[in-house]
Amino acid sequence: MNDATQQARAWYWQRISAMVLALCVVVHLITIVYAVRSGLSAEALLGRTRGNLPFAVFYVLFLLACVMHVPIGLARIGEEWLGMAASTAGFAARMFALLLLLLGLTAVYAVVLA
Amino acid sequence: MRVSIWRGRQQGGFSHYDVPRQASQTVLDVVTHVQRHLEPSLAYRFACRVGMCGSCAMTVNGVARWTCRTHVAEVAEGDRLEIAPLSNLPVVKDLVTDMRGFFDKWARAKGRFEGSATRHEDFARVEPGSQQRQLADAGIECIGCAVCYASCDVVTWRPDFLGPAALNRAWTLVNDVRDSAGVERLRAVAGDAGCHSCHTQGSCTTRCPKHIAPTAAIAGLKRITARAAVRGEL
């Protein structure tokens, strides 16, 4: 795949993931406001999230959108602000995305299934 | 009025001159006064003086402008005027920049019309109200002054970025139904040095003296190249 196609596809997926993120962030904020109303203790929170499959599905979707969206922008920042080579910036950004994925999945597992 | 003008090349400094204020005085009038009466060796570029040729753009009080249509009254800060060459282009001497890089990028963006019809065929008929004609019309009045190019931070960060003017030109041709360069042009404008590097900061659109919106043109190129890439046509 040449650079033009790669960039055009990256832009497309960043756009699509941004649409998903816009929706997820709104739902996430509403969830926070709603959750605060009925107490923020660990028991109260886990009581709502444990075994809550829709909750898990939603946050996995949110996470995947982040994992898709973040590295494209980070690679740009690395190239333009830190003067990294395109390949180095791309690799570093993908590694960061992998870290996000692992941390996010761990978090979802911890509050829903563990 | 106290006027500071850049003298030298990439390395140099500001020289200061006292220029009398006149009614309806333009920045180009000021530079011309300095060269004719105070500093004969001052180098600057102009041609038409009426905002058509695009050769007199300079940095005036930190902002790139066409000097022939910029009134001193609009831009002077108190009684001071600072005039420098355009940013993002190498300085040849004083206020004259080397525009080769700027125009070479028009060529790289395939900013030349490529027709497929011959003289034996009838004229192409393009509906004035058609969407593509309207989109092409929106960007066609570019005079190539490089104000947008000098105002673009992405060009500063990435010197190989094609820049707003070249991409705007490519967008007018993408929307020209007679043009046959199609995918080849999309390949030329996509990618790291092309439309995908634009951060939509919009300085080009804010500062374009012809009120063209290269930002919109670049957004159009992003959409159309993405569509082509997803369909596997790029």
Side-chain angles (χ1 to χ4, degrees):
Chain A
M1 205 188 317
N2 60 36
D3 172 60
T5 316
Q6 208 174 336
Q7 291 294 332
R9 286 200 180 157
W11 180 83
Y12 176 81
W13 286 112
Q14 201 179 25
R15 261 293 158 96
I16 298 290
S17 56
M19 291 174 195
V20 177
L21 283 176
L23 191 73
C24 289
V25 167
V26 171
V27 174
H28 179 62
L29 290 176
I30 292 170
T31 309
I32 292 174
V33 173
Y34 173 76
V36 169
R37 287 157 59 102
S38 46
L40 268 181
S41 68
E43 293 79 34
L45 284 177
L46 289 174
R48 286 193 293 268
T49 59
R50 277 219 171 109
N52 189 340
L53 213 60
F55 179 92
V57 170
F58 172 78
Y59 277 97
V60 167
L61 179 74
F62 195 166
L63 177 64
L64 290 179
C66 287
V67 169
M68 190 179 285
H69 193 87
V70 167
I72 303 170
L74 274 186
R76 274 268 182 274
I77 294 170
E79 281 175 63
E80 286 172 9
W81 290 70
L82 307 175
M84 294 163 87
S87 53
T88 318
F91 178 76
R94 278 197 295 276
M95 286 302 108
F96 184 78
L98 190 65
L99 183 70
L100 270 187
L101 182 68
L102 290 175
L103 290 175
L105 286 177
T106 313
V108 173
Y109 174 80
V111 297
V112 178
L113 300 170
Chain B
M1 176 173 45
R2 193 82 174 136
V3 181
S4 309
I5 297 181
W6 182 262
R7 300 300 314 278
R9 306 183 64 168
Q10 227 51 39
Q11 302 298 320
F14 284 97
S15 294
H16 309 283
Y17 309 92
D18 286 311
V19 178
R21 280 287 276 118
Q22 313 259 344
S24 302
Q25 192 176 23
T26 65
V27 175
L28 186 62
D29 291 338
V30 170
V31 177
T32 302
H33 178 92
V34 171
Q35 198 227 33
R36 288 194 184 164
H37 302 288
L38 307 169
E39 188 71 77
S41 65
L42 176 68
Y44 69 110
R45 207 186 261 137
F46 76 99
C48 75
R49 297 175 299 151
V50 290
M52 286 169 66
C53 72
S55 53
C56 71
M58 300 168 199
T59 308
V60 184
N61 283 349
V63 175
R65 297 178 183 278
W66 54 354
T67 54
C68 69
R69 300 287 301 272
T70 301
H71 283 239
V72 172
E74 294 165 18
V75 292
E77 285 164 5
D79 210 21
R80 299 187 66 84
L81 207 56
E82 187 191 272
I83 306 169
L86 286 179
S87 308
N88 292 339
L89 290 163
V91 180
V92 176
K93 181 177 184 290
D94 303 339
L95 301 172
V96 176
T97 51
D98 183 348
M99 307 275 285
R100 277 180 298 184
F102 173 70
F103 286 113
D104 285 349
K105 286 178 179 178
W106 286 48
R108 257 175 55 204
K110 300 217 176 289
R112 199 181 66 174
F113 174 76
E114 304 256 357
S116 57
T118 66
R119 68 183 66 185
H120 305 296
E121 287 159 69
D122 197 7
F123 290 114
R125 286 184 170 74
V126 185
E127 272 301 312
S130 69
Q131 194 198 15
Q132 280 187 305
R133 175 60 192 260
Q134 299 272 327
L135 289 171
D137 274 358
I140 207 70
E141 295 292 342
C142 175
I143 55 174
C145 65
V147 161
C148 58
Y149 189 82
S151 306
C152 177
D153 285 334
V154 182
V155 175
T156 314
W157 291 328
R158 282 180 184 266
D160 62 336
F161 176 51
L162 291 170
L167 292 170
N168 175 71
R169 172 65 185 158
W171 177 239
T172 61
L173 290 168
V174 164
N175 285 293
D176 189 330
V177 291
R178 303 164 306 160
D179 188 90
S180 58
V183 176
E184 229 176 292
R185 183 173 296 106
L186 292 186
R187 276 194 202 120
V189 299
D192 259 351
C195 62
H196 294 100
S197 278
C198 171
H199 289 292
T200 324
Q201 288 173 320
S203 302
C204 52
T205 302
T206 308
R207 295 190 184 163
C208 173
K210 299 293 286 181
H211 304 296
I212 295 170
T215 314
I218 294 170
L221 287 174
K222 284 177 180 171
R223 276 196 307 276
I224 205 160
T225 49
R227 202 177 305 157
V230 169
R231 289 179 186 163
E233 294 164 1
L234 197 62

